[in-house]
Amino acid sequence: MSVKAGKKAVDILLFGAGSIGAVYLYQFQRAGCRVTAVCRSNYDAVKRDGFTLISKRFGNVQFRPESVVRKAEDCPKDVTYDFIFVASKSFPGSKPSLTDMLRPAMRPETTIVLAQNGIAIEDEIAHVYPHNPLLSCAVYMPATQTDQGVIHYPEMLNLLEIGTFPAHAPASHKAAAARLAELVIAGGGQAEVHEDIQIARWSKLLLNGSWNPICALSMCTDGDFLGTSSHAYDLVWSVMLEIIALARKIGVPNIDEKVAEQKLAIAKRRAETGQGRAISMLQDVQQGRLFEVEAIVGNTVRLGRQHGVKMPLTEALYALTKGRFDAMVRDQAASKR
């Protein structure tokens, strides 16, 4: 889909061109956008060959970003980005920080989009860039990068839930959310704009806060785990109930048992058909990559303690996944000596 005559093409900086980022890159190009991709671990492969997408939704296609760079400071100097779409993993407190890594490409009119997992991840960006539109998103897209630049996307599910941070943002920020949704839809995806995106974030946390650590520790897909014992379902459900209790205490509406049942039904269907999915933390552990333990599980248990909500199962999962994370950090450091 090309840009309409007389209209300036939308320029997007994609920060984090892994599995999810690559699919959105393709969709933005289909919508007529010009995309610069910040590729870190897969830079050489993408610079040489572009991306290969093997997809039920879009078919099998090959495509290239307009520019491929290793870091934001290498972006073309004559481009002002309308959106910086962050699809990298969320590592709160890491150095250099996300705000520092984005700084070379930031302009007063640039909209920042956090298409990342976790909760309570927006404050750092909002503090450093208080006047830029900040969009927070929940992503539903079961895609996997099986080799550098090669993306397998075997389901039709494709939804980007979008909202401003904070919810009561100015009208111009609301307009940026609507514009992003238009681009995603024009590119062949699905998008919804929410008045309060935190409801959608907490709804997804029911999945991420339970399935991600459980799959990473058990080395099972979601569907396979449910078949391992009679205790598997009860564990996942009980963790979801702890997250519901925390959401209620904090005052996040519409996070209840009915929503949890809908989320758990996805894995139940996969278990019944033998088509379990490797959740993102499991993919990371399998491929020796660091995973989002703090953004997803750590922030959840810290909020639980802050608000006096008992979360013994979630805390146990955090302690175990944090132990695995730290072991991976030590192993990576040792391999570089």
Side-chain angles (χ1 to χ4, degrees), residues 142-144 153-155 211 215 220-224 266-267 270-271 274-280 282-283:
T144 305
Y153 176 24
E155 296 184 22
W211 277 120
C215 290
C220 291
T221 67
D222 54 358
D224 289 341
I266 298 170
R270 290 170 176 168
Q275 296 179 329
R277 290 284 174 255
I279 309 301
S280 62
L282 172 58
Q283 293 180 37

Side-chain angles (χ1 to χ4, degrees), residues 75-150:
C75 290
K77 304 304 181 188
D78 58 343
V79 177
T80 297
Y81 292 103
D82 301 284
F83 295 91
I84 296 180
F85 191 92
V86 181
S88 60
K89 294 188 182 300
S90 178
F91 293 112
S94 62
K95 299 297 180 183
S97 67
L98 177 61
T99 56
D100 289 338
M101 289 188 286
L102 298 183
R103 193 179 306 279
M106 287 296 302
R107 301 293 183 270
E109 60 270 43
T110 301
T111 295
I112 307 166
V113 183
L114 298 182
Q116 297 176 297
N117 287 322
I119 56 170
I121 65 170
E122 300 94 349
D123 286 330
E124 179 186 359
I125 291 284
H127 177 72
V128 176
Y129 303 112
H131 303 299
N132 290 78
L134 175 57
L135 307 182
S136 184
C137 302
V139 181
Y140 291 90
M141 184 187 292
T144 305
Q145 185 171 217
T146 56
D147 198 0
Q148 291 192 350
V150 179

Side-chain angles (χ1 to χ4, degrees), residues 14 17 20-30 35-37 51 63-66:
L14 175 72
I20 302 301
V23 179
Y24 278 113
L25 191 162
Y26 179 65
Q27 290 180 199
F28 288 139
Q29 288 185 321
R30 280 170 52 96
V35 185
T36 298
F51 287 99
F63 56 98
R64 290 177 176 275
E66 276 67 25

Side-chain angles (χ1 to χ4, degrees), residues 8-53:
K8 172 188 175 295
V10 174
D11 283 294
I12 297 178
L13 177 62
L14 175 72
F15 188 87
S19 55
I20 302 301
V23 179
Y24 278 113
L25 191 162
Y26 179 65
Q27 290 180 199
F28 288 139
Q29 288 185 321
R30 280 170 52 96
C33 302
R34 295 183 299 223
V35 185
T36 298
V38 176
C39 299
R40 290 176 288 180
S41 61
N42 58 359
Y43 173 84
D44 291 332
V46 174
K47 185 73 173 178
R48 183 184 64 246
D49 302 321
F51 287 99
T52 298
L53 176 63

Side-chain angles (χ1 to χ4, degrees), residues 159-181:
L159 175 62
L160 186 68
E161 297 178 308
I162 308 165
T164 61
F165 183 88
H168 56 272
S172 59
H173 297 200
K174 300 286 187 183
R179 181 61 176 137
L180 179 65

